[in-house]
Amino acid sequence: ARQPLGLGEPAVEHAHVAFRLGVETVDGGRHLLGRELQEDRRIARLRRRIERVEAEGGEICAEIGDVRDLAFQQDLVARGVERFGGRLDVVIANAGICNWGRVWELDERQWQDTIDINLTGTFNVLRLAAEAMAGNEQVPDVRTGDDGTEADTGHGDRGLVVMTASVAAYDGQIGQAAYASSKGAIAS
């Protein structure tokens, strides 16, 4: 039996994930949005976001899928790289579900779903994005010296990956054992 949230609500029955891959230009005009599988209202929010980007003249490639599906992630990254001129510049990995329950109330499926989505899914996004970004030309890291001259340090970036965690990584609440563990791993 699934455990209630403790607030009169049923436990999470389905995995809910938010995951975005982004390609940013200086003007912010191009985006690749991936994974946002949520309740109907969250999917509707993704569709409104897509419409807003397109209405503002931006390019967008969006797909609804499952962050646990490695083939889906591989395909999404490949399509994004192809669509946006052979490079991926920015990725935001924002996957997360929370199966509520004290440690002894969580069944193995609840624990594994949370780890698979929040941690493994996020890691796979990082791995695939880093691989795609490794081929990018390095952006110069120009610094101004004490004498006022500028020089490239040789330590420029090839892309940016942002992985979101949660305050629960540091201060989990009662009933968040799996969630806090998965977000703690991301934060570390």
Side-chain angles (χ1 to χ4, degrees):
R2 300 189 61 82
Q3 297 296 320
L5 294 175
L7 304 172
E9 299 178 31
V12 176
E13 188 62 42
H14 302 286
H16 301 219
V17 180
F19 159 70
R20 291 187 291 274
L21 297 178
V23 175
E24 295 283 342
T25 60
V26 173
D27 63 3
R30 300 185 305 170
H31 300 272
L32 165 67
L33 282 181
R35 175 74 178 107
E36 203 163 295
L37 175 59
Q38 300 266 351
E39 297 107 27
D40 290 340
R41 63 185 167 85
R42 300 261 178 139
I43 292 171
R45 187 181 314 159
L46 171 62
R47 290 194 175 115
R48 285 192 304 273
R49 189 176 303 145
I50 293 165
E51 290 168 2
R52 188 173 63 233
V53 168
E54 290 173 341
E56 293 174 5
E59 297 175 47
I60 192 164
C61 176
E63 184 75 29
I64 296 172
D66 189 334
V67 74
R68 296 170 291 185
D69 181 349
L70 183 59
F72 166 78
Q73 290 185 16
Q74 290 167 325
D75 181 59
L76 183 60
V77 169
R79 284 187 292 126
V81 168
E82 181 182 336
R83 167 111 187 232
F84 297 115
R87 62 181 290 130
L88 188 63
D89 296 310
V90 177
V91 171
I92 302 169
N94 187 37
I97 65 167
C98 184
N99 279 313
W100 289 86
R102 292 171 289 204
V103 173
W104 63 90
E105 296 171 334
L106 286 175
D107 63 37
E108 186 169 331
R109 194 194 93 206
Q110 290 171 301
W111 172 269
Q112 199 60 56
D113 283 348
T114 304
I115 297 302
D116 288 348
I117 291 167
N118 298 5
L119 181 56
T120 306
T122 299
F123 170 76
N124 285 332
V125 170
L126 168 65
R127 184 174 58 82
L128 295 168
E131 181 180 14
M133 291 174 182
N136 291 352
E137 183 178 330
Q138 189 173 7
V139 176
D141 181 26
V142 178
R143 305 285 172 108
T144 304
D146 293 337
D147 63 357
T149 60
E150 293 183 345
D152 184 355
T153 66
H155 300 289
D157 297 325
R158 296 182 189 277
L160 173 67
V161 178
V162 177
M163 299 185 309
T164 60
S166 167
V167 69
Y170 306 101
D171 186 21
Q173 302 298 310
I174 293 172
Q176 290 186 340
Y179 180 77
S181 296
S182 66
K183 292 303 183 174
I186 296 299
S188 67

